[in-house]
């Protein structure tokens, strides 16, 4: 009976650890960055369609393409930084992320054209970037850091872990 | 900021614009997204590369 309880405990901790490898606020940041990128992607495609249909001028098409390119570059930079966040680079990376997100949002807001469709898309992307700034602020180093080993070591000593693992293997 | 109706009306009749916007709205409203954070990051980077390519062409 005790064996089963230990195995159950290990399974619970392993499931818990795998679920918390990417904390919710970090995942939410990924989701928000993805929404901003999706919106930029639709904005650049719509910009082209509107120009080809004669709704906007070449000057507007270029203006929109320029601000989307600026925001897109910054956003891709943010995704790359977020992907490589570690304990050592956490503080400086978080600062870089915030600066880049705010610059991207500002570029999009400065790029409005008077065309309702384009402006709505640019402002929607800017809003998603604002939300991402808020989420970034809520992320603490501890959200990035928890290593599986550290988590497990706080619940079980390693000898018990190995024993339990072999017991689990014997049962399946 | 324009309402959704205005946006759709404004884009109506423009080939490709309405489906794009409706697709975006559907994507943003999507619930129960089962992608992992890693998959979301990969999708974001792929979309960003496409956006960059189109933007660079259209700036010229």
């Amino acid at each position: 009976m005790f064996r089963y309880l230990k195995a159950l405990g290990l399974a619970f901790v392993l499931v818990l650890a795998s679920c918390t490898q990417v904390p919710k606020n970090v995942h939410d940041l990924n989701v928000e960055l993805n929404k901003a990128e999706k919106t930029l992607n639709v904005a650049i495609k719509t910009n082209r369609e509107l120009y080809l249909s004669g709704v906007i001028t070449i000057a507007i098409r270029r203006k929109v393409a320029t601000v989307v390119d600026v925001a897109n570059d910054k956003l891709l930079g943010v995704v790359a930084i977020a992907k490589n966040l570690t304990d050592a680079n956490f503080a400086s990376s978080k600062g870089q992320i915030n600066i880049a997100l705010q610059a991207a949002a500002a570029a999009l807001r400065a790029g409005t054209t008077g065309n309702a469709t384009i402006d709505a898309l640019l402002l929607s992307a800017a809003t998603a970037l604002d939300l991402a700034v808020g989420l970034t602020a809520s992320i603490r180093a501890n959200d990035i850091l928890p290593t599986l080993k550290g988590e497990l070591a706080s619940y079980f000593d390693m000898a018990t872990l190995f024993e339990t693992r072999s017991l689990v293997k014997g049962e399946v | 900021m324009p309402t959704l109706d205005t946006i759709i009306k404004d884009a109506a009749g423009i080939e490709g614009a309405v489906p794009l916007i409706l697709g975006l709205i559907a994507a943003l409203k999507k619930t129960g997204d089962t992608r992992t954070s890693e998959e979301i990051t990969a999708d974001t980077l792929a979309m960003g590369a496409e956006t960059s390519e189109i933007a660079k062409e259209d700036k010229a």
Side-chain angles (χ1 to χ4, degrees):
Chain A
M1 181 65 180
F2 186 58
R3 279 190 339 182
Y4 286 110
L5 283 176
K6 280 209 291 188
L8 196 64
L10 175 65
F12 174 74
V13 171
L14 287 175
V15 168
L16 190 70
S18 69
C19 290
T20 55
Q21 271 177 327
V22 178
K24 189 179 180 306
N25 53 0
V26 178
H27 180 78
D28 289 348
L29 176 63
N30 277 349
V31 169
E32 216 50 57
L33 294 176
N34 191 252
K35 278 184 193 174
E37 186 53 61
K38 224 169 235 164
T39 310
L40 286 184
N41 191 270
V42 170
I44 199 68
K45 288 176 180 170
T46 307
N47 187 46
R48 183 176 276 191
E49 298 289 350
L50 292 176
Y51 172 74
L52 293 175
S53 305
V55 177
I56 58 170
T57 64
I58 186 70
I60 290 180
R61 171 180 166 175
R62 286 179 180 152
K63 181 183 179 185
V64 173
T66 302
V67 296
V68 169
D69 196 31
V70 168
N72 187 60
D73 273 356
K74 294 204 177 294
L75 188 47
L76 289 181
V78 165
V79 174
I81 296 170
K83 209 171 96 178
N84 296 308
L85 269 175
T86 63
D87 183 29
N89 67 21
F90 181 77
S92 62
S93 296
K94 191 170 154 176
Q96 286 171 8
I97 288 175
N98 258 324
I99 290 168
L101 288 174
Q102 287 174 18
L108 293 171
R109 290 203 166 91
T112 52
T113 61
N115 176 277
T117 305
I118 290 292
D119 289 355
L121 291 167
L122 297 182
L123 295 174
S124 296
T127 303
L129 294 169
D130 291 342
L131 289 172
V133 170
L135 284 165
T136 305
S138 79
I139 295 172
R140 303 277 173 265
N142 282 343
D143 294 329
I144 310 296
L145 277 186
T147 59
L148 193 57
K149 250 188 201 167
E151 290 267 284
L152 291 177
S154 66
Y155 289 99
F156 294 93
D157 63 58
M158 293 309 277
T160 310
L161 253 185
F162 286 122
E163 184 203 352
T164 310
R165 191 178 66 175
S166 62
L167 289 173
V168 172
K169 283 192 190 306
E171 297 294 338
V172 292
Chain B
M1 190 144 159
T3 64
L4 192 58
D5 283 350
T6 317
I7 297 166
I8 302 290
K9 210 175 287 171
D10 191 55
I14 299 159
E15 197 183 343
V18 171
L20 273 173
I21 292 164
L22 290 177
L24 173 69
I25 292 164
L28 298 185
K29 282 184 175 169
K30 188 169 148 190
T31 53
D33 192 337
T34 54
R35 291 176 301 166
T36 63
S37 276
E38 288 74 15
E39 287 166 342
I40 291 172
T41 302
D43 288 351
T44 306
L45 289 171
M47 250 185 310
E50 187 193 29
T51 304
S52 176
E53 198 178 313
I54 300 172
K56 281 182 177 24
E57 282 172 15
D58 287 0
K59 271 162 74 177

